[in-house]
Amino acid sequence: MAQNEFWQGNKAIAMGAIAAGCRFFGGYPITPSTEIMEVMSEELPKLGGKFVQMEDEIGGIASALGASIAGKKAMTASSGPGISLKQELLGYGYIAEIPLVVADVQRGGPSTGLPTKVSQADVMQARWGTHGDHATIAYAPCSIPECYTLTIEAFNMAERFRQPVLIMADEVIGHMREKITIPEPGSFKVVDRKKPTVAPDDFIPYRPDEDDVPPMPAFGDGYRWHVTGLTTNEWGFPTNDAPDIDLKANRIIRKVERFRDEIVAYREDFMEDAEIVVVSYGSVSRSSLRAIRELREEGVKVGHFRPITIWPFPDKEIAAFSKNVKHIIVPELNAGQLVHEVERAVKGNCEVHGKSLINGELYKPAEIMSFIKEVA
Amino acid sequence: MPREDVKKLLRSKFMPHIWCPGCGHGIIMHAILRALADLQIPKEQICISSGIGCSSRMPGYIDACTLHTAHGRSLAFATGVKMANPELTIVNVMGDGDGTAIGGNHFIHACRRNIGITAVVMNNNIYGMTGGQASPTTPEGAFAATAPYGAIDPVFDVCKLAEGAGATFVARATVANPMQCEQILKKAIEHQKKGFAVVEIVTYCHTQFGRKNKRSRPTDNIKYLKEHTVLKAQADKMSPDELKDKIVVGEFVNIETAREYTDRYNDVIARAQGKA
């Protein structure tokens, strides 16, 4: 019997994490993400999992990385300023290849900005916030059911590729309530990290398999290995040798890029004959779809493309349809972060119009209708 | 030469180490290894965690589950490790900057939680790896790369800080007495079942601190430590004036009845599952 609930987005993210097998949460309160940790503090111990409210944002991500190294699926959650604080250790997760899920319920910024107002201004922070090069996987849910399912997917990708994965909700998605039919356990895939199959004495901690991902034991499993944020050779020890650096630096990018087609997720609506396409994500996509449905009734040939993974960015897919359309409109709740990626993908095939709203409000469907009418 | 059972805890193929010849950190590592060997903890069940700096390179040389984290964050990582697997014996090694400056917040809260980790603060009064800048334990009047006119910042007393924040085992030793280091470390590691143990080991950086402060040879520093060390029992009878510039060594806190954090979290699990 499918169970129906009327959940808040933040609760759906927490419950999705638990369904994915998350058994550790370390975090620090920050609006508008806090309900995720509140739900975790209540739900995890019921399953024998652990929750710790750390002394700061950095402690939150550090404890989650530590728990992951010791074998638990782990998560932290935060919003703008907290994500800024977590950036160095996000980088640690990328270089040391530690599976982790980070929920970023976006609010207005910079700095303390607008704690209770919606924003999508962490798009570039997610991609380039930490120093150094790495591959990013980030999901932007647009509904409460997606908060649940995409968090499961985020855990699956984190475990598969051994790296942090972000859930980029926004304040509206995190705080709104909506009906959700809880998927039955067993109806969705749950991925666990690869464990080594060799004897502990033959274990080489960062020697990758054919898929560029090395197997990962847990501390306490019987394997002894060294984890560090320094660039290392495949033995996991610090290196200054250019060939070793080259191998490591490129592998942690390549392991995701190779499987890009399996990771990239998007949704298309009304695209078959579209001459105008709105590209929008997260909460904005809800206003866009409403606008598009109404304009379709008036006979305007407008479609919608929604990136579900904002990283890797669905550039190939956008490039493909851009040859058949006249205009692409990109409304987003920032001063124009994703529109540059769209322009890069489109390569001049059609006109790209960025629209930005940074006053803490959500686009009304009427506003998006007027953008479409301007170019129609 | 180390004993055979101690040698087995070394990753000798990753030697030579990065420490300067004569550095006190080697004495501390040897004491930690002797303590772990004596306690006969299987190396697969040992986690050595650290932050950043000379002292924090130590885990790399130890054949166990080792975790070299970011500057100041080792105790926060170790908190997650311990919660995920309370069976592990965790020795968290860090420098004075790691423990009391950038990681000060994690340090006091690990003390407050009383989580079962043994924290070893390797105090050499300086940032060594970055070139000898002043730390929160650089003595007033001492010279450093960032205190060319002498430091004016008052110093942190690591042991008092730990005691005030709630650590249930607190002790201090110096590298001038390696046997005392070993004995205290053994007690501190055993205390892990009851909670957070802090061992400050006063060491030296002859290369960076010593060069600017007339203690440029390792022997100058050992001599200095020996001349300035006072046992706690003696110190209790001395006046504040007599204690100026003295390093008081011994056990300051040892609460046998303390209850460890992951153990207390089991109560939360029991309550959440309706079993308590």
Side-chain angles (χ1 to χ4, degrees), chain A residues 40-185:
Chain A
M40 287 305 227
S41 72
E42 189 175 340
E43 298 299 323
L44 279 172
K46 291 182 189 169
L47 299 163
K50 306 274 177 73
F51 164 87
V52 61
Q53 181 170 329
M54 290 298 284
E55 48 275 8
D56 58 28
E57 293 283 0
I58 303 170
I61 186 169
S63 63
L65 286 164
S68 182
I69 292 162
K72 298 280 186 260
K73 288 189 185 180
M75 183 187 198
T76 189
S78 194
S79 304
I83 295 292
S84 297
L85 286 168
K86 291 183 195 297
Q87 285 293 348
E88 185 197 0
L89 293 188
L90 263 172
Y92 188 97
Y94 291 119
I95 195 165
E97 299 183 84
I98 313 299
L100 175 72
V101 171
V102 180
D104 175 8
V105 187
Q106 297 168 83
R107 64 193 244 182
S111 189
T112 311
L114 297 161
T116 60
K117 293 280 196 174
V118 69
S119 154
Q120 296 178 324
D122 295 354
V123 169
M124 285 298 162
Q125 182 180 208
R127 181 67 188 91
W128 301 111
T130 192
H131 57 283
D133 294 307
H134 59 87
T136 302
I137 303 174
Y139 293 92
C142 80
S143 68
I144 301 327
E146 269 196 4
C147 285
Y148 191 90
T149 53
L150 293 181
T151 302
I152 295 171
E153 203 53 22
F155 272 94
N156 289 347
M157 292 298 177
E159 293 286 315
R160 177 175 166 191
F161 293 107
R162 280 189 67 173
Q163 70 165 36
V165 173
L166 290 100
I167 287 283
M168 311 266 308
D170 55 50
E171 187 276 333
V172 163
I173 299 296
H175 279 164
M176 77 177 189
R177 285 175 167 79
E178 194 173 54
K179 182 184 151 182
I180 171 172
T181 304
I182 313 293
E184 292 288 331

Side-chain angles (χ1 to χ4, degrees), chain B residues 78-116:
Chain B
T79 297
V81 172
K82 188 72 183 183
M83 289 194 76
N85 186 350
E87 300 303 312
L88 294 172
T89 297
I90 304 184
V91 179
N92 185 92
V93 295
M94 52 190 173
D96 39 298
D98 228 24
T100 65
I102 190 166
N105 199 22
H106 306 305
F107 183 71
I108 59 176
H109 287 276
C111 292
R112 174 179 68 93
R113 281 189 197 100
N114 196 39
I115 190 158

Side-chain angles (χ1 to χ4, degrees), chain A residues 24 41-42 44-56 58-59 62-67 69-72 88-89 92 218-230 233 235 237-238, chain B residues 11 13-14 43-45 47 57 59-61 63-71 73 75-77 79-86 88 105-107 109-110 112-113 261-262 265-266 268-269 272-273:
Chain A
F24 181 87
S41 72
E42 189 175 340
L44 279 172
K46 291 182 189 169
L47 299 163
K50 306 274 177 73
F51 164 87
V52 61
Q53 181 170 329
M54 290 298 284
E55 48 275 8
D56 58 28
I58 303 170
S63 63
L65 286 164
I69 292 162
K72 298 280 186 260
E88 185 197 0
L89 293 188
Y92 188 97
F219 279 10
D221 263 3
Y223 292 82
R224 306 177 308 279
W225 54 300
H226 187 55
V227 184
T228 173
L230 288 161
N233 58 23
W235 289 92
F237 282 83
Chain B
R11 282 181 179 138
K13 74 180 193 188
F14 298 104
K43 53 187 180 179
E44 296 77 14
Q45 290 297 311
C47 168
R57 287 299 187 95
Y61 310 122
D63 191 16
C65 300
T66 56
L67 178 56
H68 177 232
T69 71
H71 196 28
R73 314 301 169 201
L75 283 171
F77 273 80
T79 297
V81 172
K82 188 72 183 183
M83 289 194 76
N85 186 350
L88 294 172
N105 199 22
H106 306 305
F107 183 71
H109 287 276
R112 174 179 68 93
R113 281 189 197 100
Y261 188 73
T262 57
Y265 196 86
N266 287 333
V268 173
I269 292 175
Q273 297 180 347

